């Protein structure tokens, strides 16, 4: 099978994807789908992990070229770890996001990867940062990203409320992912969600058939 | 998404490679394009551009692997093609990395060969220095760093399988440097055919014989449905006890029989004339270097 890479903007395996992160009262939920594709028509992995733990209470989710994203998060993990050891305290979420931003901005010609960093720290509590393709860093109460996010901007804007409870937030994130996966061909598989709070980190995996179904499914 | 024109830069993203104290090779940054000038010169020499340089040998291939209860089973076909010609009918695509790790390679034959050789040498040095058998995840990380550094110019798609103290592992490494940890896998030009068989019959914690049969069937399906794969099937079984490299596991039923003998003994060609011309050599300089045998 000779795969023609020319028609896709991303060479190699890409995570055409849906990723999101939402703060709630006491924590933050970060979520993604699990599909990796080549050229927009071949699913190279149904179970790729896009939620990467860069520190105890900080996760980041990846979008764009899988190779670029994995290389950047590897470097970022090392730098954040080192920073945390030097400071003798857990890193701030902003610090982790800045590390990713520096890597993306300084290498913007070679890289094609975007990130959402979310976590909890003692200073500011739950936070969400988005690092876009060219290296822009932005802090928001919630954010969505990836190719599938275009289909759920309306839903997210309408349904998000500040200070939700954990269950409400989980439902919001699950619905958003299910809607995006339903419309975007390069998002799919299972829904991975991670709930980060002061107490700890909890993984929730929702297989495709257990996702909420909407009117036409 | 903005589409930017990418100019190659010599800046590197990460200091890739291994801990310096443990390994011989210290990877240099950026690209090494020394051979490009040589290739251009060679092409110019070959009858003013009439003759084309030979195409690189690709292993249009089917490789597969799966994790079973007792270990990891890797399988590959044995055909290597160069354009439309089968260049090697008994090509070994399952490469040795370390006593507990083997790697199947698809893509450009030279790239997979050299990459796995390099990895194997470095891991040997590492295990001598540290006194430990390397872990599969370490091999994967080294491969990822190297392939990412070369930005896809090294056309190697690899399946890495092995057994170490933390269990049985199977990883895929793409040519751009992306990795994934999976229970079963197929790669190469025949991957879709092989994947169909694997998706249908794979179960977690399979018995060894069943696993070997499944990998054989997957490679067989690739051989039947893909032009770039063919000839025999190699299987490599890695367990805690050791490695069983069965080459070939199954020979092709379409093996041809030679019609004649192609070996010619001395005396086949008769000598018509013989002329001996002595070469006049002049001794210009003679030096004697004592060998220090103390």
């Amino acid at each position: 099978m000779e795969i023609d890479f020319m028609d896709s903007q991303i060479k190699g395996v890409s995570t055409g994807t849906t990723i999101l992160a939402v703060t709630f009262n006491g924590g933050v939920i970060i979520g993604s789908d699990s599909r990796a594709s080549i050229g927009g028509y071949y699913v190279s992995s149904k179970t790729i992990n896009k939620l990467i733990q860069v520190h105890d209470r900080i996760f980041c989710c990846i979008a764009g070229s899988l190779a670029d994203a994995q290389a950047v998060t590897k470097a970022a993990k090392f730098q954040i770890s080192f920073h945390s050891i030097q400071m003798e305290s857990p890193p701030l979420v902003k610090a982790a996001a800045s590390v990713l931003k520096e890597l993306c901005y300084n290498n913007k010609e070679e890289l094609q990867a975007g990130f959402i960093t979310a976590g909890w720290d003692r200073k500011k509590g739950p936070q969400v940062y988005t690092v876009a393709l060219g290296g822009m860093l932005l802090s928001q109460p919630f954010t969505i990203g990836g190719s599938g996010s275009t289909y759920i901007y309306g839903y997210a804007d309408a349904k998000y409320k500040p200070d939700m409870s954990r269950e409400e937030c989980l439902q919001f994130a699950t619905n958003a992912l299910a809607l995006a996966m339903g419309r975007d061909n390069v998002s799919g598989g299972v829904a991975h969600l991670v709930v980060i709070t002061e107490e700890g980190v909890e993984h929730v995996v929702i297989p495709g058939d257990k996702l909420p179904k909407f009117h036409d499914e | 998404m903005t589409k930017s024109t990418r100019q190659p830069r010599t800046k590197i993203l990460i200091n890739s490679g291994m801990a310096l104290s443990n390994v011989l090779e210290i990877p240099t940054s950026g690209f090494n394009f020394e051979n490009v000038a040589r290739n251009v010169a060679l092409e110019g020499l070959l009858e003013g551009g009439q003759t084309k340089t030979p195409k690189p040998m690709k292993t249009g291939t089917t490789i597969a692997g799966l994790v079973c209860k007792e270990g990891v089973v890797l399988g590959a076909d044995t055909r290597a093609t160069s354009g439309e010609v089968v260049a090697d009918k008994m090509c070994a695509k399952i490469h040795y990395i370390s006593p507990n790790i083997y790697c199947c390679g698809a893509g450009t034959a030279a790239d997979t060969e050299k990459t796995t050789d390099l990895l194997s040498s470095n891991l040997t040095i590492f295990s001598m220095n540290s006194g430990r058998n390397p872990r599969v995840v370490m091999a994967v990380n080294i491969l990822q760093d190297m392939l990412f550094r070369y930005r896809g110019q090294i056309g190697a798609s690899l399946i890495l399988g092995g057994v170490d103290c933390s269990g049985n592992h199977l990883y895929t490494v793409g040519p751009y440097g992306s990795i994934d940890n999976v229970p079963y896998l197929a790669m190469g030009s025949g991957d879709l055919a092989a994947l169909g068989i694997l998706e249908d019959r794979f179960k977690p914690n399979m018995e060894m014989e069943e696993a070997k049969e499944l990998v054989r069937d997957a490679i067989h399906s690739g051989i039947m449905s893909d032009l770039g794969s063919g000839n025999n099937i190699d299987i490599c079984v890695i367990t805690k006890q050791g490695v069983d490299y069965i080459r070939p596991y199954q020979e092709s039923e379409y093996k041809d029989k030679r019609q004649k003998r192609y070996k010619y003994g001395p005396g086949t060609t008769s000598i018509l004339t013989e002329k001996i011309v002595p070469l006049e050599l002049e001794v210009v300089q003679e030096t004697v270097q004592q060998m220090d045998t103390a």
Side-chain angles (χ1 to χ4, degrees), chain A residues 1 11 42 45-46 67-68 70 74-75 106-107 109-110 112, chain B residues 6 9 13-14 141 144-145 148 151 176 179-180 189 192 199:
Chain A
M1 178 183 72
K11 290 197 158 202
Y42 175 62
S45 176
K46 297 176 274 192
D68 289 350
Q70 283 180 341
K74 252 174 126 174
N106 290 332
N107 296 288
E109 259 103 69
E110 282 106 7
Q112 270 203 315
Chain B
R6 288 132 158 257
R9 294 226 290 234
L13 174 64
I14 42 179
N141 275 317
Q144 177 178 47
D145 286 347
F148 181 75
R151 320 231 77 225
Y176 287 86
I179 62 166
D180 196 11
S189 53
L192 289 180
E199 293 270 15

PDB file of all heavy atoms in Angstrom, chain A residues 1 11 42 45-46 67-68 70 74-75 106-107 109-110 112, chain B residues 6 9 13-14 141 144-145 148 151 176 179-180 189 192 199:
ATOM      1  N   MET A   1       0.858  -1.183   0.000  1.00  0.00           N
ATOM      2  CA  MET A   1       0.000   0.000   0.000  1.00  0.00           C
ATOM      3  C   MET A   1       0.887   1.222   0.000  1.00  0.00           C
ATOM      4  O   MET A   1       1.536   1.513   0.969  1.00  0.00           O
ATOM      5  CB  MET A   1      -0.866  -0.056   1.257  1.00  0.00           C
ATOM      6  CG  MET A   1      -1.759   1.127   1.417  1.00  0.00           C
ATOM      7  SD  MET A   1      -2.665   1.047   2.949  1.00  0.00           S
ATOM      8  CE  MET A   1      -1.415   1.364   4.139  1.00  0.00           C
ATOM      9  N   LYS A  11       2.865  15.376   7.482  1.00  0.00           N
ATOM     10  CA  LYS A  11       3.516  14.181   6.963  1.00  0.00           C
ATOM     11  C   LYS A  11       3.580  13.126   8.049  1.00  0.00           C
ATOM     12  O   LYS A  11       3.896  13.413   9.188  1.00  0.00           O
ATOM     13  CB  LYS A  11       4.938  14.529   6.518  1.00  0.00           C
ATOM     14  CG  LYS A  11       4.938  15.382   5.287  1.00  0.00           C
ATOM     15  CD  LYS A  11       6.273  15.388   4.601  1.00  0.00           C
ATOM     16  CE  LYS A  11       6.060  15.781   3.159  1.00  0.00           C
ATOM     17  NZ  LYS A  11       7.070  15.387   2.272  1.00  0.00           N
ATOM     18  N   TYR A  42      -6.817   6.816   6.431  1.00  0.00           N
ATOM     19  CA  TYR A  42      -6.432   5.549   7.028  1.00  0.00           C
ATOM     20  C   TYR A  42      -6.240   5.758   8.527  1.00  0.00           C
ATOM     21  O   TYR A  42      -5.493   6.633   8.948  1.00  0.00           O
ATOM     22  CB  TYR A  42      -5.137   5.031   6.393  1.00  0.00           C
ATOM     23  CG  TYR A  42      -4.605   3.777   7.045  1.00  0.00           C
ATOM     24  CD1 TYR A  42      -5.347   2.597   7.044  1.00  0.00           C
ATOM     25  CD2 TYR A  42      -3.374   3.772   7.684  1.00  0.00           C
ATOM     26  CE1 TYR A  42      -4.871   1.458   7.648  1.00  0.00           C
ATOM     27  CE2 TYR A  42      -2.897   2.635   8.286  1.00  0.00           C
ATOM     28  CZ  TYR A  42      -3.646   1.477   8.267  1.00  0.00           C
ATOM     29  OH  TYR A  42      -3.170   0.349   8.861  1.00  0.00           O
ATOM     30  N   SER A  45      -4.143   4.131  14.178  1.00  0.00           N
ATOM     31  CA  SER A  45      -4.328   3.568  15.504  1.00  0.00           C
ATOM     32  C   SER A  45      -5.675   3.980  16.047  1.00  0.00           C
ATOM     33  O   SER A  45      -6.073   5.135  15.934  1.00  0.00           O
ATOM     34  CB  SER A  45      -3.235   4.048  16.457  1.00  0.00           C
ATOM     35  OG  SER A  45      -3.501   3.552  17.752  1.00  0.00           O
ATOM     36  N   LYS A  46      -6.385   3.014  16.648  1.00  0.00           N
ATOM     37  CA  LYS A  46      -7.692   3.307  17.228  1.00  0.00           C
ATOM     38  C   LYS A  46      -7.570   3.649  18.700  1.00  0.00           C
ATOM     39  O   LYS A  46      -8.527   4.048  19.341  1.00  0.00           O
ATOM     40  CB  LYS A  46      -8.612   2.082  17.076  1.00  0.00           C
ATOM     41  CG  LYS A  46      -8.877   1.737  15.639  1.00  0.00           C
ATOM     42  CD  LYS A  46      -9.690   0.479  15.534  1.00  0.00           C
ATOM     43  CE  LYS A  46      -8.806  -0.743  15.551  1.00  0.00           C
ATOM     44  NZ  LYS A  46      -9.528  -1.963  15.168  1.00  0.00           N
ATOM     45  N   ALA A  67       4.466  12.525  15.595  1.00  0.00           N
ATOM     46  CA  ALA A  67       5.906  12.456  15.862  1.00  0.00           C
ATOM     47  C   ALA A  67       6.380  13.738  16.532  1.00  0.00           C
ATOM     48  O   ALA A  67       7.107  13.714  17.529  1.00  0.00           O
ATOM     49  CB  ALA A  67       6.665  12.229  14.561  1.00  0.00           C
ATOM     50  N   ASP A  68       5.950  14.894  15.972  1.00  0.00           N
ATOM     51  CA  ASP A  68       6.357  16.183  16.540  1.00  0.00           C
ATOM     52  C   ASP A  68       5.852  16.327  17.970  1.00  0.00           C
ATOM     53  O   ASP A  68       6.590  16.740  18.866  1.00  0.00           O
ATOM     54  CB  ASP A  68       5.786  17.336  15.690  1.00  0.00           C
ATOM     55  CG  ASP A  68       6.467  17.456  14.341  1.00  0.00           C
ATOM     56  OD1 ASP A  68       7.492  16.783  14.129  1.00  0.00           O
ATOM     57  OD2 ASP A  68       5.972  18.209  13.488  1.00  0.00           O
ATOM     58  N   GLN A  70       4.977  14.023  20.172  1.00  0.00           N
ATOM     59  CA  GLN A  70       5.636  13.115  21.123  1.00  0.00           C
ATOM     60  C   GLN A  70       7.036  13.613  21.449  1.00  0.00           C
ATOM     61  O   GLN A  70       7.477  13.548  22.599  1.00  0.00           O
ATOM     62  CB  GLN A  70       5.680  11.696  20.556  1.00  0.00           C
ATOM     63  CG  GLN A  70       4.345  10.997  20.656  1.00  0.00           C
ATOM     64  CD  GLN A  70       4.366   9.585  20.094  1.00  0.00           C
ATOM     65  OE1 GLN A  70       5.243   9.220  19.335  1.00  0.00           O
ATOM     66  NE2 GLN A  70       3.369   8.804  20.474  1.00  0.00           N
ATOM     67  N   LYS A  74       8.182  14.911  25.189  1.00  0.00           N
ATOM     68  CA  LYS A  74       9.327  14.241  25.842  1.00  0.00           C
ATOM     69  C   LYS A  74      10.292  15.284  26.383  1.00  0.00           C
ATOM     70  O   LYS A  74      10.735  15.214  27.533  1.00  0.00           O
ATOM     71  CB  LYS A  74      10.080  13.401  24.816  1.00  0.00           C
ATOM     72  CG  LYS A  74       9.914  11.926  24.954  1.00  0.00           C
ATOM     73  CD  LYS A  74      10.570  11.239  23.814  1.00  0.00           C
ATOM     74  CE  LYS A  74      11.537  10.213  24.309  1.00  0.00           C
ATOM     75  NZ  LYS A  74      12.098   9.434  23.226  1.00  0.00           N
ATOM     76  N   ALA A  75      10.617  16.267  25.523  1.00  0.00           N
ATOM     77  CA  ALA A  75      11.544  17.311  25.945  1.00  0.00           C
ATOM     78  C   ALA A  75      10.932  18.124  27.078  1.00  0.00           C
ATOM     79  O   ALA A  75      11.604  18.460  28.061  1.00  0.00           O
ATOM     80  CB  ALA A  75      11.864  18.214  24.758  1.00  0.00           C
ATOM     81  N   ASN A 106      10.008  28.533  19.313  1.00  0.00           N
ATOM     82  CA  ASN A 106      11.367  28.586  18.795  1.00  0.00           C
ATOM     83  C   ASN A 106      11.595  27.655  17.624  1.00  0.00           C
ATOM     84  O   ASN A 106      12.520  27.840  16.851  1.00  0.00           O
ATOM     85  CB  ASN A 106      12.366  28.272  19.911  1.00  0.00           C
ATOM     86  CG  ASN A 106      12.427  29.388  20.919  1.00  0.00           C
ATOM     87  OD1 ASN A 106      12.181  30.539  20.585  1.00  0.00           O
ATOM     88  ND2 ASN A 106      12.720  29.054  22.156  1.00  0.00           N
ATOM     89  N   ASN A 107      10.773  26.625  17.495  1.00  0.00           N
ATOM     90  CA  ASN A 107      10.940  25.676  16.392  1.00  0.00           C
ATOM     91  C   ASN A 107       9.747  25.693  15.479  1.00  0.00           C
ATOM     92  O   ASN A 107       9.392  24.689  14.879  1.00  0.00           O
ATOM     93  CB  ASN A 107      11.158  24.270  16.958  1.00  0.00           C
ATOM     94  CG  ASN A 107      12.436  24.192  17.742  1.00  0.00           C
ATOM     95  OD1 ASN A 107      13.515  24.215  17.190  1.00  0.00           O
ATOM     96  ND2 ASN A 107      12.304  24.126  19.046  1.00  0.00           N
ATOM     97  N   GLU A 109       9.065  26.654  12.580  1.00  0.00           N
ATOM     98  CA  GLU A 109       9.153  26.252  11.169  1.00  0.00           C
ATOM     99  C   GLU A 109       9.136  24.750  10.981  1.00  0.00           C
ATOM    100  O   GLU A 109       8.639  24.255   9.992  1.00  0.00           O
ATOM    101  CB  GLU A 109      10.436  26.797  10.531  1.00  0.00           C
ATOM    102  CG  GLU A 109      10.220  28.023   9.687  1.00  0.00           C
ATOM    103  CD  GLU A 109      10.652  29.270  10.410  1.00  0.00           C
ATOM    104  OE1 GLU A 109      11.869  29.414  10.601  1.00  0.00           O
ATOM    105  OE2 GLU A 109       9.785  30.067  10.777  1.00  0.00           O
ATOM    106  N   GLU A 110       9.729  24.040  11.930  1.00  0.00           N
ATOM    107  CA  GLU A 110       9.826  22.592  11.728  1.00  0.00           C
ATOM    108  C   GLU A 110       8.661  21.817  12.320  1.00  0.00           C
ATOM    109  O   GLU A 110       8.400  20.696  11.923  1.00  0.00           O
ATOM    110  CB  GLU A 110      11.113  22.045  12.362  1.00  0.00           C
ATOM    111  CG  GLU A 110      12.354  22.301  11.540  1.00  0.00           C
ATOM    112  CD  GLU A 110      13.188  23.396  12.151  1.00  0.00           C
ATOM    113  OE1 GLU A 110      12.846  23.826  13.263  1.00  0.00           O
ATOM    114  OE2 GLU A 110      14.165  23.790  11.525  1.00  0.00           O
ATOM    115  N   GLN A 112       4.725  20.844  13.673  1.00  0.00           N
ATOM    116  CA  GLN A 112       3.305  21.039  13.427  1.00  0.00           C
ATOM    117  C   GLN A 112       2.547  20.345  14.538  1.00  0.00           C
ATOM    118  O   GLN A 112       2.022  19.244  14.356  1.00  0.00           O
ATOM    119  CB  GLN A 112       2.934  20.427  12.070  1.00  0.00           C
ATOM    120  CG  GLN A 112       3.058  21.397  10.942  1.00  0.00           C
ATOM    121  CD  GLN A 112       2.205  21.000   9.757  1.00  0.00           C
ATOM    122  OE1 GLN A 112       2.184  19.841   9.371  1.00  0.00           O
ATOM    123  NE2 GLN A 112       1.486  21.945   9.216  1.00  0.00           N
TER     124      GLN A 112
ATOM    125  N   ARG B   6       8.718  25.484   4.827  1.00  0.00           N
ATOM    126  CA  ARG B   6       9.701  25.049   5.814  1.00  0.00           C
ATOM    127  C   ARG B   6      11.091  25.105   5.211  1.00  0.00           C
ATOM    128  O   ARG B   6      11.390  24.451   4.235  1.00  0.00           O
ATOM    129  CB  ARG B   6       9.403  23.602   6.233  1.00  0.00           C
ATOM    130  CG  ARG B   6       8.188  23.546   7.078  1.00  0.00           C
ATOM    131  CD  ARG B   6       7.261  22.446   6.556  1.00  0.00           C
ATOM    132  NE  ARG B   6       6.382  22.019   7.570  1.00  0.00           N
ATOM    133  CZ  ARG B   6       6.557  20.876   8.238  1.00  0.00           C
ATOM    134  NH1 ARG B   6       7.555  20.111   7.969  1.00  0.00           N
ATOM    135  NH2 ARG B   6       5.719  20.518   9.169  1.00  0.00           N
ATOM    136  N   ARG B   9      16.625  23.983   9.012  1.00  0.00           N
ATOM    137  CA  ARG B   9      17.493  24.744   9.901  1.00  0.00           C
ATOM    138  C   ARG B   9      18.399  23.777  10.625  1.00  0.00           C
ATOM    139  O   ARG B   9      18.067  22.626  10.823  1.00  0.00           O
ATOM    140  CB  ARG B   9      16.670  25.512  10.922  1.00  0.00           C
ATOM    141  CG  ARG B   9      15.811  26.596  10.369  1.00  0.00           C
ATOM    142  CD  ARG B   9      15.937  27.859  11.169  1.00  0.00           C
ATOM    143  NE  ARG B   9      15.334  27.747  12.482  1.00  0.00           N
ATOM    144  CZ  ARG B   9      14.428  28.572  12.953  1.00  0.00           C
ATOM    145  NH1 ARG B   9      13.995  29.544  12.220  1.00  0.00           N
ATOM    146  NH2 ARG B   9      13.957  28.436  14.167  1.00  0.00           N
ATOM    147  N   LEU B  13      16.007  20.357  18.170  1.00  0.00           N
ATOM    148  CA  LEU B  13      14.960  20.517  19.155  1.00  0.00           C
ATOM    149  C   LEU B  13      15.408  19.986  20.503  1.00  0.00           C
ATOM    150  O   LEU B  13      15.324  20.627  21.514  1.00  0.00           O
ATOM    151  CB  LEU B  13      13.711  19.773  18.678  1.00  0.00           C
ATOM    152  CG  LEU B  13      12.578  19.720  19.676  1.00  0.00           C
ATOM    153  CD1 LEU B  13      12.065  21.091  19.949  1.00  0.00           C
ATOM    154  CD2 LEU B  13      11.461  18.871  19.126  1.00  0.00           C
ATOM    155  N   ILE B  14      15.885  18.751  20.499  1.00  0.00           N
ATOM    156  CA  ILE B  14      16.243  18.122  21.772  1.00  0.00           C
ATOM    157  C   ILE B  14      17.630  17.518  21.642  1.00  0.00           C
ATOM    158  O   ILE B  14      18.063  17.188  20.563  1.00  0.00           O
ATOM    159  CB  ILE B  14      15.260  17.004  22.151  1.00  0.00           C
ATOM    160  CG1 ILE B  14      14.919  16.175  20.926  1.00  0.00           C
ATOM    161  CG2 ILE B  14      14.051  17.562  22.775  1.00  0.00           C
ATOM    162  CD1 ILE B  14      13.988  15.042  21.203  1.00  0.00           C
ATOM    163  N   ASN B 141      12.709   4.392  22.683  1.00  0.00           N
ATOM    164  CA  ASN B 141      13.015   5.812  22.859  1.00  0.00           C
ATOM    165  C   ASN B 141      14.199   6.249  22.009  1.00  0.00           C
ATOM    166  O   ASN B 141      14.190   7.321  21.409  1.00  0.00           O
ATOM    167  CB  ASN B 141      13.317   6.099  24.337  1.00  0.00           C
ATOM    168  CG  ASN B 141      12.042   6.351  25.103  1.00  0.00           C
ATOM    169  OD1 ASN B 141      11.159   7.053  24.633  1.00  0.00           O
ATOM    170  ND2 ASN B 141      11.919   5.768  26.264  1.00  0.00           N
ATOM    171  N   GLN B 144      13.083   6.468  18.441  1.00  0.00           N
ATOM    172  CA  GLN B 144      12.226   7.629  18.235  1.00  0.00           C
ATOM    173  C   GLN B 144      13.062   8.895  18.104  1.00  0.00           C
ATOM    174  O   GLN B 144      12.850   9.707  17.208  1.00  0.00           O
ATOM    175  CB  GLN B 144      11.249   7.767  19.391  1.00  0.00           C
ATOM    176  CG  GLN B 144      10.380   8.995  19.266  1.00  0.00           C
ATOM    177  CD  GLN B 144       9.369   9.114  20.373  1.00  0.00           C
ATOM    178  OE1 GLN B 144       9.700   8.950  21.530  1.00  0.00           O
ATOM    179  NE2 GLN B 144       8.151   9.433  20.016  1.00  0.00           N
ATOM    180  N   ASP B 145      14.025   9.061  19.022  1.00  0.00           N
ATOM    181  CA  ASP B 145      14.872  10.255  18.977  1.00  0.00           C
ATOM    182  C   ASP B 145      15.603  10.345  17.653  1.00  0.00           C
ATOM    183  O   ASP B 145      15.685  11.408  17.040  1.00  0.00           O
ATOM    184  CB  ASP B 145      15.915  10.202  20.109  1.00  0.00           C
ATOM    185  CG  ASP B 145      15.286  10.485  21.451  1.00  0.00           C
ATOM    186  OD1 ASP B 145      14.130  10.950  21.477  1.00  0.00           O
ATOM    187  OD2 ASP B 145      15.932  10.223  22.473  1.00  0.00           O
ATOM    188  N   PHE B 148      13.181  10.942  14.578  1.00  0.00           N
ATOM    189  CA  PHE B 148      12.633  12.295  14.607  1.00  0.00           C
ATOM    190  C   PHE B 148      13.682  13.296  14.170  1.00  0.00           C
ATOM    191  O   PHE B 148      13.389  14.252  13.442  1.00  0.00           O
ATOM    192  CB  PHE B 148      12.107  12.632  15.996  1.00  0.00           C
ATOM    193  CG  PHE B 148      11.504  14.002  16.064  1.00  0.00           C
ATOM    194  CD1 PHE B 148      10.261  14.243  15.515  1.00  0.00           C
ATOM    195  CD2 PHE B 148      12.187  15.061  16.641  1.00  0.00           C
ATOM    196  CE1 PHE B 148       9.698  15.506  15.547  1.00  0.00           C
ATOM    197  CE2 PHE B 148      11.631  16.320  16.680  1.00  0.00           C
ATOM    198  CZ  PHE B 148      10.386  16.543  16.133  1.00  0.00           C
ATOM    199  N   ARG B 151      13.813  13.686  10.557  1.00  0.00           N
ATOM    200  CA  ARG B 151      12.626  14.285   9.926  1.00  0.00           C
ATOM    201  C   ARG B 151      12.025  13.457   8.795  1.00  0.00           C
ATOM    202  O   ARG B 151      11.626  13.989   7.778  1.00  0.00           O
ATOM    203  CB  ARG B 151      12.949  15.682   9.381  1.00  0.00           C
ATOM    204  CG  ARG B 151      13.830  16.502  10.273  1.00  0.00           C
ATOM    205  CD  ARG B 151      13.290  17.863  10.546  1.00  0.00           C
ATOM    206  NE  ARG B 151      12.237  17.778  11.530  1.00  0.00           N
ATOM    207  CZ  ARG B 151      11.081  18.401  11.426  1.00  0.00           C
ATOM    208  NH1 ARG B 151      10.824  19.151  10.405  1.00  0.00           N
ATOM    209  NH2 ARG B 151      10.174  18.266  12.354  1.00  0.00           N
ATOM    210  N   TYR B 176       8.608   9.050  10.832  1.00  0.00           N
ATOM    211  CA  TYR B 176       8.794  10.416  11.310  1.00  0.00           C
ATOM    212  C   TYR B 176       9.103  10.464  12.787  1.00  0.00           C
ATOM    213  O   TYR B 176       9.358  11.536  13.328  1.00  0.00           O
ATOM    214  CB  TYR B 176       7.541  11.254  11.003  1.00  0.00           C
ATOM    215  CG  TYR B 176       7.438  11.562   9.540  1.00  0.00           C
ATOM    216  CD1 TYR B 176       6.830  10.672   8.664  1.00  0.00           C
ATOM    217  CD2 TYR B 176       7.988  12.722   9.019  1.00  0.00           C
ATOM    218  CE1 TYR B 176       6.758  10.941   7.322  1.00  0.00           C
ATOM    219  CE2 TYR B 176       7.913  13.007   7.671  1.00  0.00           C
ATOM    220  CZ  TYR B 176       7.298  12.106   6.825  1.00  0.00           C
ATOM    221  OH  TYR B 176       7.236  12.375   5.484  1.00  0.00           O
ATOM    222  N   ILE B 179       5.578   6.889  17.975  1.00  0.00           N
ATOM    223  CA  ILE B 179       5.573   5.534  18.530  1.00  0.00           C
ATOM    224  C   ILE B 179       4.211   5.208  19.113  1.00  0.00           C
ATOM    225  O   ILE B 179       3.430   6.094  19.434  1.00  0.00           O
ATOM    226  CB  ILE B 179       6.647   5.357  19.633  1.00  0.00           C
ATOM    227  CG1 ILE B 179       6.373   6.278  20.810  1.00  0.00           C
ATOM    228  CG2 ILE B 179       8.027   5.564  19.085  1.00  0.00           C
ATOM    229  CD1 ILE B 179       7.177   5.924  22.026  1.00  0.00           C
ATOM    230  N   ASP B 180       3.939   3.913  19.223  1.00  0.00           N
ATOM    231  CA  ASP B 180       2.698   3.471  19.831  1.00  0.00           C
ATOM    232  C   ASP B 180       2.927   2.088  20.421  1.00  0.00           C
ATOM    233  O   ASP B 180       3.595   1.252  19.800  1.00  0.00           O
ATOM    234  CB  ASP B 180       1.580   3.440  18.779  1.00  0.00           C
ATOM    235  CG  ASP B 180       0.206   3.364  19.397  1.00  0.00           C
ATOM    236  OD1 ASP B 180       0.087   3.543  20.630  1.00  0.00           O
ATOM    237  OD2 ASP B 180      -0.763   3.121  18.654  1.00  0.00           O
ATOM    238  N   SER B 189       3.775  -2.734   3.014  1.00  0.00           N
ATOM    239  CA  SER B 189       2.782  -2.553   1.957  1.00  0.00           C
ATOM    240  C   SER B 189       1.640  -3.548   2.086  1.00  0.00           C
ATOM    241  O   SER B 189       0.532  -3.311   1.618  1.00  0.00           O
ATOM    242  CB  SER B 189       3.440  -2.658   0.589  1.00  0.00           C
ATOM    243  OG  SER B 189       4.161  -3.862   0.515  1.00  0.00           O
ATOM    244  N   LEU B 192      -2.506  -3.892   5.354  1.00  0.00           N
ATOM    245  CA  LEU B 192      -3.966  -3.931   5.436  1.00  0.00           C
ATOM    246  C   LEU B 192      -4.481  -5.361   5.369  1.00  0.00           C
ATOM    247  O   LEU B 192      -5.385  -5.746   6.116  1.00  0.00           O
ATOM    248  CB  LEU B 192      -4.585  -3.089   4.328  1.00  0.00           C
ATOM    249  CG  LEU B 192      -4.422  -1.584   4.495  1.00  0.00           C
ATOM    250  CD1 LEU B 192      -5.074  -0.852   3.353  1.00  0.00           C
ATOM    251  CD2 LEU B 192      -5.030  -1.125   5.814  1.00  0.00           C
ATOM    252  N   GLU B 199      -7.080  -8.569  13.146  1.00  0.00           N
ATOM    253  CA  GLU B 199      -8.253  -7.987  13.795  1.00  0.00           C
ATOM    254  C   GLU B 199      -9.316  -9.037  14.047  1.00  0.00           C
ATOM    255  O   GLU B 199     -10.028  -9.014  15.046  1.00  0.00           O
ATOM    256  CB  GLU B 199      -8.865  -6.889  12.911  1.00  0.00           C
ATOM    257  CG  GLU B 199      -7.992  -5.679  12.747  1.00  0.00           C
ATOM    258  CD  GLU B 199      -8.242  -4.618  13.806  1.00  0.00           C
ATOM    259  OE1 GLU B 199      -8.884  -4.929  14.829  1.00  0.00           O
ATOM    260  OE2 GLU B 199      -7.801  -3.488  13.628  1.00  0.00           O
TER     261      GLU B 199
END
